Amino acid sequence: MSTPSRRILVTGAAGEIGHGLVSAFAKDPDVHVIAVDLRDPGKAIRANLDDLHLGDICDRSFIDHIVTLHEVTEIVHLAALLSTRAEHVPERAHEVNVDGTFNLLRVAAEQAQSFSRVVKFTVPSSIAVYGLSEQEKSLGGKVGLDECLRPVTMYGANKLYCESLGRYYGRHYRSLTSEGPPPIDFRCLRLPGVIAAETKPTGGTSDFVPEMIHAAAAGQPYECFVREETRIPWMTMPECVDAMLGLLEAPALPGCVYNVSSFSASAGELEAALRPHFPNLQVTYTPHAGRQAMVDTWPDDVDVTAAMRDWGYAPRWTLEQALEHYIVPSVRRQYAST
Ligand code: SER
């Protein structure tokens, strides 16, 4: 068997996106996955990994040690503290979300220089980079890539800065002295709320929709922490993994940061769409002032035309299709087996 030519370091491999992405990588014999996480990802994910290192991405010597063991050709950096969790521990969030990303970019640049090869660096960003005013939010509709970038959360501020930092390493690194191309091919996917049926989310502010779905499948009442009319863009986890893979595998790209989203829906619309599948569903709305204020600064929808034009991204499902083809059957399977 030939040696895989892609050796991908995946941080946050035990998280929700890591779960889906490493199983996709496991199907590709040309990929060797070097996973990094704080915690053991469990047997199912471990089976899809070639190497696993447990440790903290903020620990520079830990990251340095990993790259002495492996010649890394790509980094997929998923580890992060999401928006709600980050508001409880903002300083720690900055360390993980910014310093951790900086450590990895720095190591990627060093790997590129050592092996005279550009290192691809792919990272999710988030709709939390937006910060719409009340008036802008009331207009509704799709928000463009470069509009309303005034995040009100630590997580959003961290992600917006990391977009810039990545653009710097990917396009402008050492612009006064360096010859040759920048060391990193930086690619960033601004994600909407992501709905996974296989895992329960923690620490995010878009968790109200996946939480409602899991409660419906478990036959439990759900007390939603935002108002019924709260609307943001969404995609399901399989669509998110496909979008990550599409971005990773695209040839050279004109842009560094891309919006993706499949549909825009409010909490109430999701409840209504779930009801035919789960007629006993009980949802009450008890908005949490702080979390509501955060989500109220996120757009109803985002403009995805750059991703469609530059690397062939295509939103796959409407809300109803997502429920029919993925969410309901997967979540039912999961709760039937527990
Ligand atoms: N899912 C993220 C959060 O809720 C937003 O992209 O923090």
Side-chain angles (χ1 to χ4, degrees):
M1 220 169 88
S2 61
T3 321
S5 68
R6 298 172 68 193
R7 287 172 300 282
I8 310 182
L9 178 70
V10 182
T11 73
E16 279 205 295
I17 300 177
H19 189 266
L21 202 61
V22 297
S23 8
F25 284 149
K27 298 190 185 97
D28 185 343
D30 198 35
V31 172
H32 179 105
V33 175
I34 306 141
V36 171
D37 209 301
L38 273 177
R39 62 200 159 99
D40 190 317
K43 218 161 123 193
I45 299 185
R46 265 204 320 265
N48 289 324
L49 306 175
D50 298 291
D51 290 284
L52 171 64
H53 298 275
L54 298 180
D56 187 346
I57 56 163
C58 298
D59 178 352
R60 185 73 216 276
S61 57
F62 168 65
I63 299 294
D64 283 343
H65 176 66
I66 294 171
V67 295
T68 59
L69 300 176
H70 309 276
E71 191 184 322
V72 171
T73 61
E74 296 174 45
I75 294 180
V76 178
H77 174 34
L78 306 173
L81 258 60
L82 294 181
S83 57
T84 291
R85 176 89 188 105
E87 287 313 300
H88 290 290
V89 284
E91 290 77 18
R92 176 66 186 151
H94 190 279
E95 282 168 11
V96 174
N97 295 346
V98 175
D99 301 342
T101 303
F102 177 54
N103 273 345
L104 289 155
L105 282 165
R106 191 154 68 173
V107 157
E110 286 165 7
Q111 286 275 297
Q113 277 147 4
S114 305
F115 298 105
S116 304
R117 173 175 54 207
V118 171
V119 171
K120 203 180 267 184
F121 193 106
T122 308
V123 62
S125 180
S126 157
I127 47 167
V129 297
Y130 292 109
L132 278 68
S133 66
E134 215 179 306
Q135 202 239 338
E136 287 163 340
K137 179 77 181 172
S138 71
L139 298 174
K142 294 180 196 288
V143 175
L145 263 180
D146 299 320
E147 293 173 326
C148 309
L149 297 173
R150 301 179 299 261
V152 301
T153 61
M154 180 52 110
Y155 175 67
N158 294 163
K159 284 292 183 185
L160 186 57
Y161 173 63
C162 288
E163 290 182 4
S164 298
L165 197 58
R167 191 178 293 107
Y168 169 74
Y169 272 93
R171 298 289 153 107
H172 309 289
Y173 185 65
R174 289 184 186 268
S175 62
L176 297 182
T177 52
S178 169
E179 285 164 19
I184 292 174
D185 177 353
F186 179 77
R187 301 174 175 212
C188 179
L189 201 59
R190 248 188 230 159
L191 294 175
V194 179
I195 306 168
E198 294 79 11
T199 51
K200 269 198 199 167
T202 49
T205 314
S206 63
D207 292 359
F208 56 96
V209 155
E211 279 177 5
M212 191 188 296
I213 292 166
H214 283 267
Q220 288 165 355
Y222 181 60
E223 186 176 1
C224 184
F225 61 79
V226 294
R227 288 189 305 272
E228 191 173 344
E229 60 277 17
T230 304
R231 174 186 298 279
I232 60 168
W234 301 98
M235 72 192 331
T236 63
M237 189 54 81
E239 294 169 292
C240 170
V241 169
D242 280 357
M244 290 286 293
L245 294 172
L247 182 66
L248 261 168
E249 279 151 24
L253 290 169
C256 287
V257 180
Y258 291 94
N259 272 328
V260 285
S261 157
S262 291
F263 52 86
S264 164
S266 68
E269 284 168 0
L270 193 273
E271 181 196 342
L274 270 176
R275 194 161 297 287
H277 302 279
F278 300 101
N280 298 329
L281 173 67
Q282 284 175 48
V283 180
T284 49
Y285 294 87
T286 314
H288 177 285
R291 295 179 97 184
Q292 181 74 56
M294 284 157 62
V295 83
D296 281 346
T297 67
W298 297 352
D300 283 16
D301 204 356
V302 288
D303 178 3
V304 300
T305 49
M308 294 172 82
R309 180 192 62 219
D310 291 352
W311 48 277
Y313 170 71
R316 195 194 307 169
W317 287 325
T318 61
L319 167 60
E320 288 72 20
Q321 290 166 338
L323 284 168
E324 184 190 331
H325 297 302
Y326 163 67
I327 297 170
V328 172
S330 311
V331 91
R332 271 201 213 287
R333 234 186 343 266
Q334 199 200 322
Y335 282 86
S337 63
T338 53

